[in-house]
Amino acid sequence: MAENTSLMEIKRSEIESFVSSVTDALKKSRYAPAVTASASSQDVVGRRRSFSMNPVQTGVGVASDFSLVDAIHAVSADDGLPTAAETHILREIREGISIARAVVELFQKTTELGRLKALNSATRLTQEQRDAFSEYQYAAGVIMSFVSASYVAWALADYLANPAIVDEAPESSEFGFANPIAAQEAFLWELSTVVKAARSDASLAKIVRDFCVKRSKAVSLTSVGTRLVEAFVSANYRVEGSEFSINGFAPSERKVSSATLSMTFKKPEEVVGNHLAKSQCNRLAKMLMAYDFKLQTSPFVELGGHIFTFMGDGFPGTGKTTLIQMMAGLLNDYCQVAGYPFVYRNFGVHEISEYQGRSGQNCQAFITAVTDPRVIGFGTVDDIDLIAASRDDAHASNGQKEVTSVLMDAWAGPSTVVRGNCTFGAFSNYPEKVDDALRQRAGARFLIDGPQTTEDYIDLLALLAGQSGQEALGLGDAKGKLFATQNIQAAAEKSYAKHSRPQEAKITNLLDQVTGEIGELDNIHKIGVYMKRIQEVEPRFTGRAIKNIMDSVKTRCMDFEIPDEWMEKPETFMHRSMPDKISMVRELMKPMTAEMVLQEVNRYADSEVRYSDKSFDKAVENAVQDAKVRAAAVEKLGRGHA
């Protein structure tokens, strides 16, 4: 995954250096609108398209001069002078384009575009360099278009808001991504066209605002398939003297507030069994609260141990929903103490649409809301096997496959940025049905197996019975012993120790074979031999599996109980400086051990074998059922002819 970069501030002097040329462009520009047709599979400059929603250029129309200033002033032509609203809107458009030009300038300096541009000026580009230059120019055009529209939508968010105004801007279709200047001209030309429908200042503000919202969303969707934008996506821009921020292709909003959650929260003591999953969810909730909003990183990202994605699997009724309610409740409470905005989102089957591209768009909006660096985010995908289908599933809908593609890119794609402010949990009763590549993007695996011990069943019975029920069931004498085994830390330690040996017979036999050959697996060389042998019997045990295992080991190094006092008063930990947080966390870290690595190898290998076996067993079960149905049909048909 891409590492988080430091904050990049756009100086006023950098923005103002473009104001004069942008002012001239507002007064007079020249543009040739594209002749469009329905979308095809390929766009200009060889860009791969993930969505076929937007028109593509099939030719260039007649170029002509136009003036956005004149088009906007024409709204109040009867008055003879531009209104204050018209002037304000023009100034915000100029500001947005100037900011976009400054961002493109920074993009040019931090990528190969700057060098290629200099070589192009000297006409010394090879064919390969010309191709690369065109692709970089295209990426810069995408950035230019997004930032311009995003700023104007942000700046005019509440300007002259009037619910009675119903005028609506059309969808954006002219992008001009070939280079930044082409993108600027296309943006101005479309604005000059759509504002002609305005009939008042409030109408003008709404049309411009709506158009820019739609344009920024359309460009954001396009960015999913655009190459070479990693430097822009991984950087976080702030405009000097402004609250406006640019965080990749996420929409910018003036205010961020916590969504009011309607779910029923659960306390950790109300979750019986699932000791490892409960321990890790509890710890992860506290880890998220270490996030530094100014630097947009976390000590658990810097030192290791942050869980960006995890998958919880288990039989129906084992407690997946309860764990979600527990973790969301903890985060909600902690954020209230710290004064941080908290966002919880669940992506469900209702987000899958029959319209092409809509499912992917819904999923991208879900990702954007949770990863917003200005919030603490928790996103869940419940029943992921029903939502994100395997790519080779002939029965899956296009919408399900769109979701799979978006999740794969968001969770471990080339532009993924892990800041430490959010986590995603995928839950399933049938994880073997999830696309292999998507499932392996879950950095941690939580087996949700529900109550296991006699004490677990007694505790669950007592919990559900309630106070009066406990008395009626004769549990009064045992109250001192109730929930004693549910202590998170003690139960987790016991559960980890259980994984010193695998739980699946296939891996247990393999471990015995390897230890019989080379002795106890007490160093990295021997564990490496063991992992290679696992790969020979389980092909899904790939390099990504090793990365996920080591991420889990680093999390185990953070396997300490974060003091509750850190969560009770924000000044104790949450509002401390990043160096202080890192120092406090480092003092509690545990050393990495071979035993720890072996346990995590066993846990991960067990999960892959479990998924494979369940998939095979299900296939056998289906085949047997089909055979029974055919046999019954033949028998019934025979009786009918008798």
Side-chain angles (χ1 to χ4, degrees), residues 162-180:
N162 185 345
I165 301 295
V166 296
D167 298 335
E168 188 171 337
E171 298 287 345
S172 185
S173 60
E174 290 283 340
F175 295 105
F177 289 152
N179 58 63

Side-chain angles (χ1 to χ4, degrees), residues 331-590:
L331 285 168
N332 184 69
D333 292 346
Y334 295 156
C335 284
Q336 286 187 357
V337 171
Y340 294 160
F342 171 52
V343 168
Y344 169 74
R345 294 286 187 275
N346 179 65
F347 190 82
V349 292
H350 63 282
E351 304 279 8
I352 305 298
S353 173
E354 62 184 277
Y355 297 105
Q356 185 176 8
R358 184 69 57 80
S359 301
Q361 185 177 3
N362 292 343
C363 190
Q364 188 61 55
F366 160 72
I367 296 294
T368 298
V370 176
T371 57
D372 186 340
R374 298 165 297 173
V375 306
I376 301 298
F378 179 31
T380 56
V381 185
D382 207 1
D383 292 323
I384 189 171
D385 53 286
L386 299 176
I387 295 169
S390 178
R391 288 166 294 174
D392 59 3
D393 185 353
H395 301 291
S397 69
N398 288 333
Q400 289 173 306
K401 292 180 179 180
E402 287 173 15
V403 170
T404 298
S405 176
V406 172
L407 290 179
M408 287 179 63
D409 183 71
W411 287 354
S415 59
T416 300
V417 179
V418 179
R419 298 184 176 93
N421 69 307
C422 66
T423 188
F424 290 92
F427 298 85
S428 176
N429 297 328
Y430 307 102
E432 69 278 3
K433 294 183 179 180
V434 180
D435 188 274
D436 286 345
L438 177 59
R439 190 176 66 239
Q440 289 178 359
R441 278 163 164 76
R445 306 289 177 87
F446 297 173
L447 173 60
I448 303 175
D449 49 5
Q452 294 293 305
T453 66
T454 300
E455 291 80 8
D456 285 345
Y457 277 90
I458 294 172
D459 290 343
L460 183 57
L461 182 62
L463 181 67
L464 297 177
Q467 187 73 26
S468 59
Q470 291 174 18
E471 299 291 341
L473 293 172
L475 293 171
D477 296 337
K479 280 191 176 179
K481 299 178 182 179
L482 288 177
F483 308 109
T485 61
Q486 303 306 324
N487 176 274
I488 291 180
Q489 190 67 18
E493 290 292 343
K494 186 176 180 180
S495 295
Y496 279 129
K498 181 177 67 175
H499 290 283
S500 293
R501 286 186 62 77
Q503 305 299 297
E504 298 292 328
K506 184 189 295 186
I507 305 299
T508 300
N509 295 336
L510 189 60
L511 175 63
D512 291 340
Q513 291 175 15
V514 175
T515 54
E517 296 169 6
I518 63 177
E520 292 300 316
L521 308 185
D522 53 6
N523 61 49
I524 190 171
H525 172 75
K526 293 180 179 180
I527 294 175
V529 172
Y530 176 45
M531 287 195 291
K532 172 57 182 172
R533 295 285 289 275
I534 294 173
Q535 186 268 334
E536 290 172 358
V537 300
E538 180 48 66
R540 292 181 179 85
F541 200 79
T542 62
R544 186 179 293 279
I546 298 173
K547 178 188 180 302
N548 291 340
I549 287 167
M550 291 312 299
D551 284 346
S552 295
V553 171
K554 292 175 184 176
T555 301
R556 289 281 300 278
C557 292
M558 301 295 179
D559 189 21
F560 50 79
E561 187 63 33
I562 297 176
D564 288 334
E565 307 86 74
W566 291 12
M567 302 294 116
E568 292 169 356
K569 296 181 179 180
E571 62 272 14
T572 305
F573 176 72
M574 293 183 281
H575 290 183
R576 299 285 289 272
S577 68
M578 179 58 66
D580 286 350
K581 290 179 182 177
I582 290 177
S583 177
M584 294 169 72
V585 169
R586 200 186 294 274
E587 287 182 6
L588 298 178
M589 285 177 61
K590 294 181 178 180

Side-chain angles (χ1 to χ4, degrees), residues 127-340:
Q127 182 58 51
E128 183 179 358
Q129 288 173 329
R130 279 197 293 272
D131 292 342
F133 180 55
S134 294
E135 285 209 77
Y136 269 114
Q137 285 280 73
Y138 183 92
V142 172
I143 294 167
M144 177 75 197
S145 187
F146 175 79
V147 175
S148 299
S150 185
Y151 174 83
V152 177
W154 175 87
L156 300 180
D158 300 315
Y159 185 65
L160 299 183
N162 185 345
I165 301 295
V166 296
D167 298 335
E168 188 171 337
E171 298 287 345
S172 185
S173 60
E174 290 283 340
F175 295 105
F177 289 152
N179 58 63
I181 296 302
Q184 172 184 303
E185 291 172 344
F187 180 52
L188 293 176
W189 183 83
E190 277 211 304
L191 276 173
S192 70
T193 301
V194 300
V195 298
K196 293 176 182 178
R199 293 182 291 275
S200 65
D201 286 347
S203 174
L204 174 65
K206 184 179 187 303
I207 285 175
V208 172
R209 178 172 60 242
D210 289 354
F211 169 78
C212 289
V213 168
K214 291 178 179 179
R215 187 180 186 86
S216 62
K217 287 181 178 179
V219 178
S220 180
L221 281 175
T222 299
S223 71
V224 174
T226 302
R227 297 182 64 247
L228 306 178
V229 294
E230 289 83 357
F232 170 73
V233 173
S234 62
N236 304 300
Y237 302 92
R238 291 291 182 276
V239 175
E240 181 184 11
S242 171
E243 295 180 358
F244 179 65
S245 62
I246 306 163
N247 302 287
F249 291 99
S252 296
E253 299 174 359
R254 279 194 173 275
K255 297 178 181 178
V256 178
S257 58
S258 299
T260 301
L261 298 183
S262 58
M263 71 164 60
T264 301
F265 295 141
K266 298 291 185 183
K267 300 293 184 183
E269 57 268 23
E270 295 179 282
V271 180
V272 175
N274 293 319
H275 302 302
L276 276 183
K278 180 167 68 173
S279 171
Q280 291 183 301
C281 285
N282 179 67
R283 187 173 296 110
L284 180 53
K286 292 182 177 179
M287 285 180 172
L288 291 175
M289 301 311 299
Y291 178 65
D292 187 297
F293 281 83
K294 183 176 181 180
L295 299 179
Q296 295 193 349
T297 188
S298 160
F300 295 101
V301 171
E302 302 295 327
L303 298 174
H306 175 71
I307 299 174
F308 182 57
T309 52
F310 64 90
M311 176 169 284
D313 70 278
F315 291 116
T318 50
K320 292 183 288 295
T321 301
T322 304
L323 279 170
I324 293 173
Q325 293 170 325
M326 183 199 82
M327 188 167 170
L330 288 172
L331 285 168
N332 184 69
D333 292 346
Y334 295 156
C335 284
Q336 286 187 357
V337 171
Y340 294 160

